[in-house]
């Protein structure tokens, strides 16, 4: 319990640091958000008046204090371009990102674990080399390339899936989920294969076999039970990363999620919206790591004793 409390305290400190870093970076980059919002032909008086109304003429520390106190009270500011609360925009977009991330995670977990188990059981065989080669390809190929290849072949050429996922319903998430989860599936397959292959060499596995247990029960009840611990940790971290890293897939497949909202904020130099989406995504990643640590300590008695 003390370890969890300490990690929560560290999480708050990290979020404060990230918020400060984002706040600084977005204000030192070239350009003027007010001019972008009002247009190049806006007169100087209008720009000065709008700058004062938004509080951008105040000292840096005053602006940051006002922002961070607003964050802890649930106010992420108001979007310059959409004139709506940032928290409301994130709440509207997040369900689409969550559906995409969960679908991608399920695809990655099922495919990765199954391929990893088969590769470990058939170590140095044809299936092992095949699955590990495909997993290496999945880890190496960028998400945007996988997305565009799937979109071109399965949506455009074969017309099996919709090109855009905007109003296509559940079937519209198939291709984005595969594209987003492909990289994670490769990582899970390789980790499952390496950990399971190592556990299968342990003495207690030989003892179980000597007692006459069949191969499948030995693998599922004994070997996989211990080999899956680091895999579960990776899965928890990957889910938070998928939630925060779906920018490319949402853009390619026209999904109105957090990633596409961030891209819109970058294009319009919408500082409050961009700050909100980045901070929200960072919080998801940190939360995923915290959950992974908690799961690992719950599943592994040795970690609980150390805590």
């Amino acid at each position: 319990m003390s370890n969890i409390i300490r990690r929560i305290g560290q999480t708050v400190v990290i979020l404060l640091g990230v918020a400060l870093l984002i706040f600084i970076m977005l204000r030192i980059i070239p350009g003027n958000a007010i001019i972008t919002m009002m247009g190049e032909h806006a007169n100087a008086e209008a720009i000065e008046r709008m700058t004062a109304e938004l509080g951008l003429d105040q000292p840096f520390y005053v602006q940051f204090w006002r922002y961070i106190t607003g964050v802890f009270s649930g106010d992420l500011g108001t979007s310059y371009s959409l004139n709506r609360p940032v928290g409301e925009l994130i709440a509207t977009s997040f369900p689409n990102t969550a559906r995409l991330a969960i679908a991608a995670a399920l695809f990655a977990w099922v495919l990765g674990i199954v391929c990893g188990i088969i590769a470990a059981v058939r170590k140095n065989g044809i299936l092992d080399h095949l699955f590990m080669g495909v997993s290496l390809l999945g880890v190496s190929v960028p998400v945007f390339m996988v997305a565009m290849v799937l979109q071109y072949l399965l949506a455009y050429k074969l017309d099996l899936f919709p090109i855009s996922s905007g109003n296509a319903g559940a079937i519209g998430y198939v291709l984005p989920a595969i594209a987003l989860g492909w990289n994670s599936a490769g990582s899970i397959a390789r980790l499952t294969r390496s950990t399971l292959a190592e556990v299968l060499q342990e003495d207690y596995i030989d003892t179980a076999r000597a007692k006459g247990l069949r191969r499948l029960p030995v693998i599922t009840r004994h070997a996989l039970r211990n080999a899956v611990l680091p895999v579960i940790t990776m899965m928890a971290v990957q889910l938070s990363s998928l939630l925060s890293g779906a920018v490319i897939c949402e853009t390619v497949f026209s999904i109105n999620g957090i990633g596409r909202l961030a891209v819109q904020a970058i294009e319009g130099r919408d500082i409050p919206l961009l700050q909100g989406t980045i901070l929200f995504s960072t919080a998801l990643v940190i939360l995923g790591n915290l959950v992974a640590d908690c799961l690992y300590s719950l599943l592994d008695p040795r970690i609980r004793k150390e805590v």
Side-chain angles (χ1 to χ4, degrees):
M1 180 61 70
S2 61
N3 184 52
I4 295 175
I5 295 174
R6 185 171 66 253
R7 287 302 305 275
I8 293 174
Q10 293 173 351
T11 298
V12 175
V13 174
I14 292 171
L15 282 175
L16 282 172
V18 170
L20 178 60
L21 184 62
I22 295 169
F23 202 84
I24 293 173
M25 292 181 64
L26 291 180
R27 280 157 179 78
I28 63 175
I29 57 177
N32 189 309
I34 303 301
I35 295 177
T36 303
M37 179 176 62
M38 300 185 66
E40 296 181 358
H41 301 290
N43 59 61
E45 292 182 2
I47 294 174
E48 186 178 348
R49 184 173 63 254
M50 182 62 69
T51 301
E53 288 179 2
L54 296 175
L56 299 179
D57 58 339
Q58 298 178 357
F60 172 82
Y61 62 88
V62 174
Q63 294 184 48
F64 180 71
W65 175 253
R66 187 179 62 183
Y67 174 71
I68 203 66
T69 52
V71 168
F72 281 105
S73 64
D75 181 14
L76 296 174
T78 302
S79 169
Y80 291 166
S81 57
L82 301 176
N83 196 29
R84 291 175 59 189
V86 173
E88 180 183 317
L89 292 170
I90 292 176
T92 303
S93 302
F94 181 66
N96 295 327
T97 298
R99 281 191 286 268
L100 173 59
I102 292 171
L106 291 175
F107 167 78
W109 295 346
V110 173
L111 183 64
I113 291 175
V114 170
C115 291
I117 292 173
I118 295 174
V121 173
R122 302 293 183 182
K123 188 177 179 181
N124 297 323
I126 296 176
L127 289 178
D128 181 19
H129 294 302
L130 175 63
F131 288 157
M132 289 303 100
V134 173
S135 68
L136 179 61
L137 185 66
V139 173
S140 305
V141 178
V143 173
F144 75 89
M145 185 174 293
V146 177
M148 289 190 293
V149 169
L150 291 175
Q151 193 178 49
Y152 177 75
L153 292 178
L154 299 182
Y156 179 70
K157 282 294 185 181
L158 300 179
D159 197 23
L160 298 177
F161 299 96
I163 292 179
S164 174
S165 305
N167 300 314
I171 194 172
Y173 283 87
V174 175
L175 292 186
I178 294 174
L180 185 60
W182 189 260
N183 182 281
S184 299
S187 300
I188 291 175
R190 296 179 72 81
L191 181 61
T192 303
R193 189 258 187 197
S194 62
T195 54
L196 183 58
E198 183 178 348
V199 169
L200 288 173
Q201 304 300 319
E202 297 290 338
D203 293 337
Y204 70 88
I205 298 297
D206 295 333
T207 302
R209 288 172 176 169
K211 289 181 179 180
L213 292 178
R214 294 183 179 180
R215 191 177 188 182
L216 184 60
V218 169
I219 294 172
T220 55
R221 297 179 187 175
H222 298 279
L224 188 60
R225 190 174 180 179
N226 292 318
V228 79
L229 290 176
V231 179
I232 290 176
T233 304
M234 176 181 278
M235 289 163 61
V237 174
Q238 281 186 345
L239 179 57
S240 62
S241 299
L242 291 172
L243 283 168
S244 61
V247 178
I248 296 174
C249 279
E250 289 179 357
T251 303
V252 173
F253 293 97
S254 301
I255 298 174
N256 295 318
I258 299 294
R260 199 174 182 196
L261 198 64
V263 172
Q264 183 179 350
I266 294 171
E267 292 174 347
R269 196 174 168 78
D270 193 334
I271 292 178
L273 184 57
L274 188 56
Q275 284 177 168
T277 53
I278 294 175
L279 192 62
F280 182 76
S281 299
T282 303
L284 289 177
V285 173
I286 295 174
L287 181 62
N289 282 275
L290 180 62
V291 170
D293 289 344
C294 294
L295 281 176
Y296 203 85
S297 62
L298 289 173
L299 294 172
D300 193 339
R302 295 170 296 181
I303 303 296
R304 287 203 298 271
K305 289 179 180 180
E306 291 177 3
V307 175

